[in-house]
């Protein structure tokens, strides 16, 4: 049945919603696709639901084509399986928890590894049952710290999640590749410009992992790519190529110098150059200094732990890279009260002298991989107004380990070929993981192998952000007037606009609607009689159906107008060939 604007459950808005930060959010609300219920929680109106269903259909078709089987788990889940894997605690504030009338704990599923693992354990027992890939398209719940940008980061959202089960690593690799290929087909059909980047396995605790990022200037994810060798990775997953350790033989001894009023790297470098110039005539730069950044970790069980991170002074600690490294813990910057609790720390002059589990502060100290044995640094001497020069890693200090937390920048060396990296931003649309045996072990999923011995199954987990895809497509397909849907995603194939007061116009537009529908075309018909043509045209542009047919004054001369929403091109066609012309236009 055609959707008729006279009765459609829709109100378009002339004004942008006050809370909208990005075009997709603004336009999806204004054009009547979604309505906000609460932060990060949205209602799908009829037009929006059509688009969501179209995206779901594309995802479903490609998952079915690769041989995955669809099923559906509940969203309301008991605590126990998540306790068995540790995620009941690890998820911390990020999951919605609730209790039933008997005070039993439940959660709203943020992702379903546990349930899929248990279902396979429940039904299968032999290697002959494998390989298996199963999936669902389902509503997920995450109490995101910062729900934003409408559907892009919701607290309730639709995800396609699939899971593969194999007897050995070879099988897992194959399932992973099949999913990767299916995802390429899905994202091609959705019309995305995207990149496939190496990713952090993160809280899922797996090994190999890649993300599909839709390229977008305002995306939340930053990735790097190397045009020389094709390497691409989410910045979270970039491993800095560590220089070779060098010998400490013959390096000058460390010496403490007065450097009053130099609490920042900038002031320190200036003071070092004027008061303590280098013997070789080269100027000191920020890269010669070692900056020690203190953060306070909060572990999932609520315990707090200070952490010191040493990075070259020309780098910052990158929030996302650090977050990815310390997950499931979270961090906050060190505050005055934290310093007060650690009197060995001289703020602005903190050095390796007091840092480390075995030193005065007892604070765990992790170093950037560039700080290899034999490198010399200017760094804090742990007394206000003093720095130590020629402090050599491996000779004068060591950390408790290394950490990939320093920012990654355009021009940095590619980890695989040393060529210069480029940086860009994107929106994470899909994520594929080789989970390995973590969940199968925690939940004891074993099957009999060829020799009749019990073997732990190996798993993969694969997600597509279905509701996020709707926003992401809108993000990449709009102009100043409104949305411009790609063919495969649009809520209707054609938007027929009847203008004026003439009954003939409305009668003909009705007829055209019926005929197109008989040909399998989905029609949105603006049959409103008391609305001006200007308002109708504005609505049509805002709603963004890619083909607009105007039935109006031209009808008297036997013509209608077909307009391409994207190019703005319009042409008149005789009514006699209208159906054929529209079918040709929409590729039907
Ligand atoms: P992000 O890093 O954006 O928080 P994630 O890595 O936590 O996402 P996954 O657990 O990999 O997400 O989930 C699979 C897919 O689900 C993601 O690739 C993304 O497309 C989608 N997704 C995740 N969180 C949200 C959300 N809050 N709102 C909408 N879609 C989401
Ligand atoms: Mg992810």
């Amino acid at each position: 049945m055609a959707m008729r604007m006279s009765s459609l459950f829709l109100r378009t808005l002339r004004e942008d919603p006050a809370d909208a930060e990005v075009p997709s959010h603004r336009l999806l609300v204004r054009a009547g696709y979604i309505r906000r219920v609460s932060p990060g929680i949205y209602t799908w109106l009829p037009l929006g639901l059509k688009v969501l269903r179209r995206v779901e259909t594309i995802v479903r078709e490609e998952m079915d084509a690769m041989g995955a089987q669809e099923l559906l788990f509940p969203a309301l889940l008991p605590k126990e399986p998540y306790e068995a894997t540790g995620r009941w605690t690890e998820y911390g504030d990020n999951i919605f928890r609730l209790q039933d009338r008997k005070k039993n704990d439940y959660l709203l599923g943020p992702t379903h590894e546990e349930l899929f693992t248990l279902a396979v354990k429940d039904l299968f027992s032999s290697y002959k049952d494998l390989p298996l890939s199963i999936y669902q398209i389902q509503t997920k719940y995450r109490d995101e710290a910062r729900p934003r940008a409408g559907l892009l980061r919701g607290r309730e959202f639709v995800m396609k999640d699939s899971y593969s089960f194999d007897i050995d690593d070879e099988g897992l690799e194959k399932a992973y590749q099949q999913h990767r290929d299916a995802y390429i087909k899905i994202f091609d059909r959705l019309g995305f410009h995207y990149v496939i980047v190496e990713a952090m396995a993160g809280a899922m605790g797996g090994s190999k992992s890649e993300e599909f990022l839709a390229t977008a200037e305002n995306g939340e994810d930053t990735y790097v790519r190397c045009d020389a060798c094709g390497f691409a990775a989410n910045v979270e997953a970039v491993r800095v190529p560590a220089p070779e350790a060098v010998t400490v033989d013959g390096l000058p001894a460390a010496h403490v110098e007065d450097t009053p009023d130099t609490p920042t790297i900038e002031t320190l470098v200036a003071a070092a150059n004027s008061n303590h110039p280098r013997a070789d005539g080269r100027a000191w730069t920020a890269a010669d200094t070692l900056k020690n950044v203190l953060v306070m970790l909060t572990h999932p069980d609520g315990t707090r732990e200070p952490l010191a991170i040493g990075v070259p002074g020309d780098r910052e600690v990158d929030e996302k890279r650090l977050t990815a490294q310390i997950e499931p813990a979270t961090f906050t910057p060190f505050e005055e009260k934290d310093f007060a609790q650690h009197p060995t720390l001289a703020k602005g002059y903190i050095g390796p002298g007091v840092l480390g589990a075995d030193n005065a502060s007892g604070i765990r100290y992790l170093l950037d991989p560039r700080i290899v044995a034999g490198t010399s640094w200017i760094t804090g001497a742990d007394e206000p107004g003093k720095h130590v020069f020629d402090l050599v890693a491996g000779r004068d200090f060591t950390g408790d380990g290394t950490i990939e937390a320093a920012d990654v920048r355009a021009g940095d060396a590619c980890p695989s070929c040393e060529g210069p990296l480029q940086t860009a931003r994107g929106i994470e649309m899909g994520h594929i993981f080789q989970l390995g045996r973590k969940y199968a072990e925690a939940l004891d999923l074993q099957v009999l192998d060829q020799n009749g011995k019990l073997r732990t199954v190996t798993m993969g987990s694969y997600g597509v952000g279905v509701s996020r895809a709707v926003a992401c497509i809108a993000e990449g397909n709009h102009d100043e007037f409104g949305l411009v849907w790609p063919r495969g995603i649009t809520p209707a194939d054609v938007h027929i606009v009847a203008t004026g007061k003439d009954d003939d116009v409305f009668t003909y537009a009705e007829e055209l609607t019926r005929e197109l529908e008989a040909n399998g075309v989905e029609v949105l018909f603006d049959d409103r009689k008391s609305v001006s043509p200007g308002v109708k045209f504005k609505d049509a542009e805002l709603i963004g159906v890619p083909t607009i047919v105007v039935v109006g004054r031209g009808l008297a001369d036997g013509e209608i107008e077909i307009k391409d929403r994207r190019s703005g091109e319009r042409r008149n066609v005789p009514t006699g060939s209208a159906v054929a012309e529209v079918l040709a236009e929409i590729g039907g």
Side-chain angles (χ1 to χ4, degrees):
M1 274 295 283
M3 291 180 281
R4 285 158 190 279
M5 292 286 277
S6 60
S7 55
L8 187 63
F9 191 55
L10 168 80
R11 281 292 171 271
T12 56
L13 311 175
R14 293 287 157 247
E15 300 295 323
D16 288 337
D19 62 336
E21 306 151 69
V22 295
S24 61
H25 185 193
R26 199 160 45 79
L27 291 170
L28 288 169
V29 173
R30 273 189 51 201
Y33 286 76
I34 57 170
R35 294 294 293 171
R36 196 185 86 133
V37 171
S38 178
I41 304 179
Y42 289 84
T43 302
W44 295 90
L45 296 175
L47 286 181
L49 193 58
K50 289 253 179 202
V51 173
L52 179 70
R53 294 283 183 250
R54 284 204 155 182
V55 173
E56 279 181 14
T57 300
I58 288 173
V59 172
R60 182 173 283 119
E61 283 174 2
E62 295 303 335
M63 293 313 296
D64 291 347
M66 68 151 273
Q69 300 172 55
E70 184 171 7
L71 44 63
L72 184 60
F73 281 97
L76 178 61
L77 304 171
K79 161 181 77 169
E80 288 70 23
Y82 287 79
E83 256 189 337
T85 59
R87 293 210 291 185
W88 176 256
T89 321
E90 276 175 18
Y91 263 111
D93 288 338
N94 290 321
I95 46 175
F96 287 98
R97 299 161 199 269
L98 61 167
Q99 289 189 327
D100 67 7
R101 63 175 74 208
K102 294 182 189 139
K103 303 280 175 242
N104 296 312
D105 287 315
Y106 286 79
L107 70 156
L108 295 177
T111 174
H112 279 66
E113 279 73 6
E114 284 80 352
L115 276 289
F116 275 80
T117 309
L118 287 174
V120 175
K121 181 180 168 180
D122 191 15
L123 297 182
F124 279 5
S125 57
S126 161
Y127 75 97
K128 291 182 197 152
D129 298 324
L130 306 180
L132 172 72
S133 283
I134 40 185
Y135 78 98
Q136 62 178 346
I137 297 177
Q138 198 223 23
T139 304
K140 298 280 192 264
Y141 297 86
R142 295 183 185 176
D143 195 359
E144 298 277 358
R146 283 181 288 273
R148 64 176 282 277
L151 302 173
L152 283 177
R153 183 168 297 284
R155 296 197 297 164
E156 176 181 292
F157 59 97
V158 181
M159 195 203 289
K160 184 287 298 176
D161 49 330
S162 36
Y163 305 83
S164 65
F165 299 84
D166 284 276
I167 191 78
D168 54 24
D169 294 351
E170 205 186 321
L172 170 57
E173 182 62 35
K174 197 168 159 207
Y176 182 88
Q177 281 306 326
Q178 285 170 341
H179 271 91
R180 198 176 188 275
D181 293 344
Y183 277 32
I184 289 172
K185 291 190 181 129
I186 290 170
F187 294 120
D188 283 347
R189 283 181 68 184
L190 292 176
F192 285 129
H193 292 283
Y194 64 94
V195 284
I196 305 175
V197 302
E198 287 180 21
M200 282 284 292
M204 302 295 219
S207 48
K208 185 166 163 186
S209 155
E210 289 168 293
E211 283 166 354
F212 289 70
L213 301 182
T215 53
E217 271 166 38
N218 56 6
E220 276 189 61
D221 283 281
T222 305
Y223 67 94
V224 296
R225 59 161 210 277
C226 172
D227 292 340
C229 74
F231 171 84
N234 193 308
V235 284
E236 293 170 5
V238 172
R239 292 169 154 277
V240 169
E244 292 281 325
V246 284
T247 174
V248 300
D249 293 348
L251 292 176
H255 47 106
V256 174
E257 302 290 349
D258 280 325
T259 51
D261 303 321
T262 56
T264 63
I265 296 294
E266 213 177 14
T267 50
L268 172 61
V269 171
N273 279 321
S274 23
N275 306 330
H276 310 281
R278 289 171 60 96
D280 63 5
R282 169 171 85 74
W284 295 113
T285 69
D288 297 313
T289 69
L290 166 59
K291 176 160 72 180
N292 298 298
V293 178
L294 271 295
V295 295
M296 184 60 76
L297 302 185
T298 305
H299 293 284
D301 64 3
T303 55
R304 286 157 61 85
E305 183 207 355
L307 176 69
I309 299 156
V311 295
D314 62 336
R315 304 251 164 199
E316 302 298 331
V317 168
D318 180 284
E319 192 183 322
K320 286 209 151 183
R321 277 173 51 81
L322 177 57
T323 303
Q325 292 297 327
I326 61 172
E327 259 182 344
T330 55
F331 80 93
T332 45
F334 233 55
E335 294 171 14
E336 284 308 325
K337 66 174 184 348
D338 301 319
F339 279 106
Q341 283 187 351
H342 295 277
T344 54
L345 301 178
K347 198 177 165 190
Y349 301 89
I350 301 167
V354 299
L355 298 174
D358 297 333
N359 285 325
S361 71
I363 294 175
R364 187 149 67 101
Y365 185 34
L366 301 178
L367 295 172
D368 183 81
R370 295 172 189 83
I371 305 167
V372 290
T375 51
S376 295
W377 304 91
I378 306 176
T379 188
D382 304 303
E383 261 183 77
K386 288 187 195 296
H387 279 91
V388 54
F389 285 60
D390 294 317
L391 194 77
V392 175
R395 181 189 74 182
D396 304 323
F397 72 100
T398 49
D400 297 313
T402 58
I403 188 165
E404 292 280 359
D407 55 6
V408 175
R409 299 185 202 140
D412 280 356
C414 167
S416 100
C417 78
E418 309 253 309
L421 291 175
Q422 319 273 339
T423 64
R425 296 175 81 97
I427 301 169
E428 184 188 322
M429 287 313 316
H431 199 165
I432 53 179
F433 290 101
Q434 295 195 2
L435 288 175
R437 296 182 173 78
K438 176 180 161 164
Y439 290 87
E441 257 156 28
L443 297 163
D444 194 28
L445 168 59
Q446 293 186 316
V447 296
L448 291 173
D449 70 8
Q450 290 88 330
N451 305 315
K453 284 218 182 79
L454 279 174
R455 247 219 261 181
T456 303
V457 167
T458 183
M459 293 169 55
S461 128
Y462 317 88
V464 171
V466 174
S467 50
R468 181 178 282 185
V470 172
C472 202
I473 295 164
E475 206 55 43
N477 294 278
H478 64 84
D479 60 18
E480 58 192 305
F481 307 112
L483 297 158
V484 191
W485 294 106
R487 279 266 160 247
I489 314 295
T490 173
D493 301 312
V494 54
H495 188 154
I496 297 180
V497 181
T499 63
K501 301 248 180 268
D502 194 344
D503 279 344
D504 288 352
V505 163
F506 286 85
T507 313
Y508 175 79
E510 280 285 351
E511 223 169 85
L512 182 61
T513 298
R514 259 202 307 276
E515 269 186 69
L516 286 170
E517 282 197 294
N519 281 281
V521 176
E522 284 214 47
V523 182
L524 174 60
F525 177 23
D526 198 341
D527 59 341
R528 293 174 294 178
K529 288 217 161 114
S530 53
V531 174
S532 77
V535 169
K536 289 182 177 178
F537 294 145
K538 273 214 166 66
D539 278 346
E541 293 198 310
L542 184 58
I543 289 169
V545 172
T547 301
I548 300 168
V549 169
V550 182
V551 184
R553 250 177 310 193
L555 191 67
D557 307 321
E559 285 191 333
I560 60 157
E561 183 186 274
I562 298 180
K563 185 178 162 190
D564 181 319
R565 170 67 184 88
R566 190 174 296 272
S567 65
E569 258 168 55
R570 41 181 89 213
R571 63 201 170 89
N572 289 337
V573 301
T575 49
S577 58
V579 172
E581 291 279 356
V582 172
L583 285 177
E585 182 82 18
I586 67 174

